[in-house]
Amino acid sequence: MNPQASRSDIMDVMVKVALAESRILIVHTYPTGVIDVVAVAHHLGMMGSGYVWIATNWLSTVLDTDSPLPSGTVENIQGLITLRMYTPDSEMKRNFLSRWKNLTNNLTGNGPFGLNTYGLYAYDTV
């Protein structure tokens, strides 16, 4: 799906999916559009019983970076299963996360800017 897809475009695709009687859905999309996809699916009744949603690591990226999410978004993603890249816990990781939290604490109105696994890998690379 195009990252600039409108809600109408998303609705068209989701209606086709619903008509195809697909009940296990694997979602791999851009983090910026995923909330709209899930909202449309919720609106169409595709997030309830009888459907299984598996999200690739985009959802964990959104949760790690943009939390806290609005309550409507949290309600819409209930029941999704997501994959997350594994980063083992260590003293170095805890120290970096603490420094990151202190560094970004005043950058947003919602507290510190979240750090996802891509950020950890970038820091490790540098």
Side-chain angles (χ1 to χ4, degrees):
M1 185 175 297
N2 184 336
Q4 286 84 30
S6 68
R7 192 168 174 99
S8 176
D9 295 335
I10 295 169
M11 181 74 77
D12 292 344
V13 170
M14 295 307 294
V15 167
K16 288 178 187 175
V17 170
L19 293 174
E21 298 183 13
S22 300
R23 297 296 178 249
I24 300 174
L25 303 159
I26 299 173
V27 183
H28 180 71
T29 186
Y30 296 92
T32 54
V34 72
I35 302 304
D36 290 333
V37 170
V38 174
V40 168
H42 186 75
H43 175 75
L44 293 173
M46 297 174 68
M47 296 299 293
S49 180
Y51 287 90
V52 175
W53 287 79
I54 302 170
T56 56
N57 67 331
W58 59 262
L59 180 57
S60 61
T61 300
V62 169
L63 292 173
D64 290 342
T65 307
D66 296 337
S67 287
L69 297 175
S71 61
T73 300
V74 172
E75 181 181 316
N76 286 344
I77 64 172
Q78 290 298 310
L80 256 95
I81 299 169
T82 187
L83 305 174
R84 173 174 278 155
M85 291 183 279
Y86 177 71
T87 56
D89 194 26
S90 70
E91 186 67 28
M92 256 174 71
K93 179 181 172 184
R94 286 189 297 275
N95 289 340
F96 176 66
L97 291 174
S98 177
R99 288 193 319 269
W100 180 261
K101 184 178 177 181
N102 290 335
L103 178 68
T104 63
N105 198 29
N106 296 322
L107 294 180
T108 69
N110 296 336
F113 185 77
L115 182 66
N116 58 47
T117 51
Y118 292 112
L120 288 173
Y121 289 148
Y123 175 77
D124 189 50
T125 300
V126 172

